[in-house]
Amino acid sequence: MKYAMVEYDVIIIGGGISGLLSALTLSKHGKKVLLLEKDDAVGGNCNSYMVDGFQVDTGPHAITHLREGPLRRLMDEYFTYMPFFVDYGHYYVRTEKGLTKIPSNIKDFVTFDVLPRKDRLMLSQALTKALTQMTFGMLDGEQPVYDYLPKGLSGDTYDFVNAIAYFLSGKSMKDTSVNRVLYGSSFVRDSVPEDIFEDVEMAPGTSYASLITEKLSKYQLKGHLTSFSRLATNKVSYAQAYPRGGLRSLLHAVLYSMPGTVQIKTGSKVCRILTGGEHAIGVATDTDSYSSEIVVYTGFVKNLPSLLPLPSEYVKKLSTIDQTLSLTIWLGLKEKMKEFDYTGSEVWFKGGAYWAMPISNYDASIAPRGKQLVGFTFVIDEKNDLDREKKKAMELIMKAVPGIEEMIEMTHYQVTIPEKAAVTINGYFAGTRSPVRNIYLAGTDTDSRSMGVTRAAYSVLEMLKAMKEDKIL
Ligand SMILES: Cc1cc2nc3c(=O)[nH]c(=O)nc-3n(C[C@H](O)[C@H](O)[C@H](O)COP(=O)(O)OP(=O)(O)OC[C@H]3O[C@@H](n4cnc5c(N)ncnc54)[C@H](O)[C@@H]3O)c2cc1C
């Protein structure tokens, strides 16, 4: 075995969006950075590639909280090149009758005829009650959505709420907390000023939502009152978008902004974090080892114990992190279908659920001329046979969009774990500090705020904050 010992200030393990944002920000703070990625390309779950003339993404993506969220903060402060974002559009629900906008306020609920009128009334009452209780600091937001729902709703309504719960947390309404629905939807989250999130100490094991609820009950009521007015009027901009040129445009913006001092090595799987006494001194792959002052780990935190010895209590906590497996089916269509004549995404919830996005509507160059590309994502059970899951998913698409079968020119499957941790009730999130002083963590299993790329950006901000506290930056 040949060891090349090279000195770095920081070694980053993993070249997904969290690792790359870590490399970008730390290098712009003057650090000499090495990033090691096990795959042949960087990007992880944030990339695009060609399949038979169609440019598919690693799952259909809505990039959220772009107005003043964590990604916006990172872009403003550290990016030299900006992706161009196209306004996201709307969230729809598809039924046999076609598309209907998903309600985001009381007014929408009144006209949302996808569900029985009685159920809509009961749901909007439950929502108003939750917000009222929250305002007075009386909401046990960690209770399951299912338990909070009024009794006597129809099967369709339960299926609808369940589909939304899977979208927001990766788990069913029995494992999704009321807080997650309130914060994950825009009812509360967008109406709270960003600075309130900055001061929150994320001790490992603490639920972010409960911390925020506690903070909010002491905070001025303005935030809540805004929620109420939103509930009544829907005067809200979601600040969500899709990057023109596909998801890889976001990845490219990070890569183009990266100073030349950052070294990136692909095809380099870190199999050990080297320690000396109480702290890390570097990392080793099968062929090389590298020394550094600091290590940032952005792979699955659950796998961290395979890289170095850690206290058993900590290992036990990490083992409770839960994930969701997803199946995405990309369909390249011979012609544009009128069913997909919109920007945004749609949910189907009857007899199974999917979340779909016709991404070529944002940028025609994503599909060959005159054709269309639509991604459908399903939550699947890893215990089930994959081929059967694929077949079931395809059948659901055919049922939801009659006539699509004759239009399919390209079919491409992706089986992925969208988030490294699902936001279940009392689900564990590792936080940015590890038990080893100079090993920091970033990625979607270290911070429970928001989801996806936004959550990855939060985790990087949290890591930077910890390093500033530790006088490393
Ligand atoms: C179907 C689907 C839909 C999604 N929808 C959205 C959406 O609408 N909006 C949104 O914002 N997000 C969405 N996401 C989630 C988003 O893509 C991810 O949250 C984000 O890309 C995660 O970034 P990450 O860097 O934390 O993790 P990853 O992308 O998993 O990156 C981790 C990287 O570390 C590497 N690695 C791990 N271990 C090692 C090791 N030992 N040595 C070297 N390298 C290692 C891995 O190979 C990987 O490249 C979706 C994802 C999927 C799959």
Side-chain angles (χ1 to χ4, degrees):
M1 202 183 294
K2 182 173 86 34
Y3 279 132
M5 232 16 194
V6 186
E7 276 274 334
Y8 293 92
D9 295 328
V10 184
I11 290 177
I12 293 164
I13 305 173
I17 198 73
S18 305
L20 290 165
L21 287 171
S22 304
L24 172 69
T25 53
L26 292 172
S27 61
K28 292 219 169 174
H29 282 284
K31 300 291 178 196
K32 186 177 173 196
V33 175
L34 169 69
L35 181 145
L36 299 168
E37 165 56 51
K38 69 176 167 55
D39 291 345
D40 292 336
V42 290
N45 272 340
C46 182
N47 211 340
S48 318
Y49 53 92
M50 298 305 293
V51 181
D52 299 339
F54 292 88
Q55 183 186 299
V56 303
D57 291 336
T58 43
H61 277 65
I63 308 297
T64 60
H65 298 301
L66 282 169
R67 199 177 45 220
E68 51 180 12
L71 185 62
R72 166 60 51 204
R73 270 195 260 164
L74 290 174
M75 289 193 297
D76 287 349
E77 205 167 327
Y78 299 99
F79 281 37
T80 319
Y81 292 89
M82 288 287 176
F84 185 89
F85 288 106
V86 186
D87 187 55
Y88 188 67
H90 292 284
Y91 287 93
Y92 297 95
V93 57
R94 183 180 292 281
T95 61
E96 296 81 357
K97 288 188 260 173
L99 295 178
T100 312
K101 271 188 201 167
I102 291 187
S104 61
N105 59 39
I106 297 290
K107 197 170 130 247
D108 287 355
F109 263 111
V110 177
T111 51
F112 188 59
D113 62 0
V114 164
L115 303 178
R117 194 157 168 263
K118 182 172 99 352
D119 288 13
R120 281 182 267 149
L121 177 69
M122 290 203 284
L123 279 182
S124 52
Q125 277 172 344
L127 197 56
T128 313
K129 184 173 138 201
L131 284 168
T132 311
Q133 288 179 328
M134 183 184 269
T135 304
F136 286 95
M138 291 165 68
L139 181 74
D140 170 18
E142 290 306 299
Q143 109 184 73
V145 168
Y146 179 74
D147 292 357
Y148 198 81
L149 288 178
K151 301 291 163 253
L153 296 169
S154 70
D156 264 4
T157 301
Y158 280 123
D159 286 348
F160 173 73
V161 176
N162 219 16
I164 300 292
Y166 271 115
F167 171 63
L168 290 171
S169 75
K171 294 287 167 184
S172 79
M173 60 184 167
K174 292 189 175 161
D175 290 317
T176 303
S177 70
V178 172
N179 270 336
R180 186 68 194 163
V181 173
L182 293 177
Y183 291 105
S185 67
S186 61
F187 285 126
V188 171
R189 180 63 185 80
D190 266 356
S191 50
V192 188
E194 275 295 317
D195 56 3
I196 189 172
F197 293 92
E198 280 189 346
D199 306 326
V200 177
E201 286 298 330
M202 280 292 291
T206 354
S207 142
Y208 179 78
S210 63
L211 255 175
I212 284 290
T213 310
E214 188 194 311
K215 245 178 137 23
L216 273 175
S217 58
K218 294 181 193 131
Y219 196 73
Q220 20 167 295
L221 285 180
K222 201 168 134 257
H224 286 306
L225 297 177
T226 322
S227 306
F228 278 118
S229 64
R230 163 163 322 158
L231 209 52
T233 63
N234 193 26
K235 289 217 170 64
V236 56
S237 153
Y238 289 102
Q240 299 189 9
Y242 180 78
R244 188 160 72 195
L247 193 55
R248 69 174 174 191
S249 301
L250 176 59
L251 170 71
H252 289 171
V254 182
L255 290 173
Y256 295 153
S257 302
M258 200 80 82
T261 50
V262 176
Q263 228 191 319
I264 296 179
K265 288 190 182 211
T266 53
S268 301
K269 181 175 178 182
V270 171
C271 46
R272 226 153 16 104
I273 296 180
L274 308 168
T275 49
E278 299 281 282
H279 58 279
I281 54 170
V283 307
T285 63
D286 274 348
T287 52
D288 297 300
S289 74
Y290 309 89
S291 70
S292 71
E293 305 265 319
I294 295 153
V295 172
V296 176
Y297 179 76
T298 73
F300 284 88
V301 183
K302 225 176 169 167
N303 296 344
L304 190 64
S306 67
L307 300 184
L308 80 163
L310 290 165
S312 58
E313 265 308 295
Y314 184 68
V315 175
K316 213 163 111 195
K317 277 187 196 155
L318 296 186
S319 69
T320 64
I321 296 178
D322 202 0
Q323 286 131 2
T324 300
L325 192 64
S326 74
L327 165 70
T328 297
I329 305 181
W330 288 101
L331 297 180
L333 307 177
K334 277 186 231 162
E335 286 168 32
K336 290 180 185 155
M337 291 183 72
K338 63 174 184 349
E339 283 79 356
F340 299 114
D341 187 17
Y342 66 88
T343 52
S345 55
E346 62 176 79
V347 174
W348 174 271
F349 66 93
K350 293 184 180 184
Y354 71 60
W355 179 57
M357 237 179 110
I359 62 167
S360 58
N361 290 1
Y362 295 101
D363 182 342
S365 69
I366 282 171
R369 199 185 172 88
K371 303 186 180 190
Q372 199 165 36
L373 179 62
V374 191
F376 298 81
T377 295
F378 301 78
V379 171
I380 57 169
D381 190 338
E382 60 191 345
K383 293 195 278 304
N384 294 351
D385 176 66
L386 183 57
D387 286 333
R388 281 192 55 187
E389 291 281 19
K390 285 181 181 170
K391 191 163 168 277
K392 212 169 78 188
M394 269 305 223
E395 282 166 5
L396 197 70
I397 297 174
M398 310 295 169
K399 183 177 141 198
V401 191
I404 194 169
E405 204 166 355
E406 295 84 67
M407 290 292 175
I408 302 173
E409 177 178 302
M410 181 280 291
T411 308
H412 179 67
Y413 297 95
Q414 295 166 335
V415 178
T416 32
I417 296 173
E419 310 274 11
K420 297 197 203 90
V423 194
T424 51
I425 293 166
N426 300 323
Y428 185 71
F429 280 80
T432 199
R433 293 179 198 278
S434 78
V436 181
R437 193 177 45 80
N438 62 341
I439 301 179
Y440 294 86
L441 313 172
T444 51
D445 45 5
T446 68
D447 202 304
S448 66
R449 283 172 284 182
S450 192
M451 49 181 130
V453 174
T454 308
R455 193 192 294 176
Y458 267 128
S459 78
V460 172
L461 284 173
E462 207 59 36
M463 178 204 67
L464 294 172
K465 191 174 147 204
M467 287 190 182
K468 276 180 196 153
E469 281 166 12
D470 297 348
K471 312 261 180 290
I472 290 165
L473 298 182

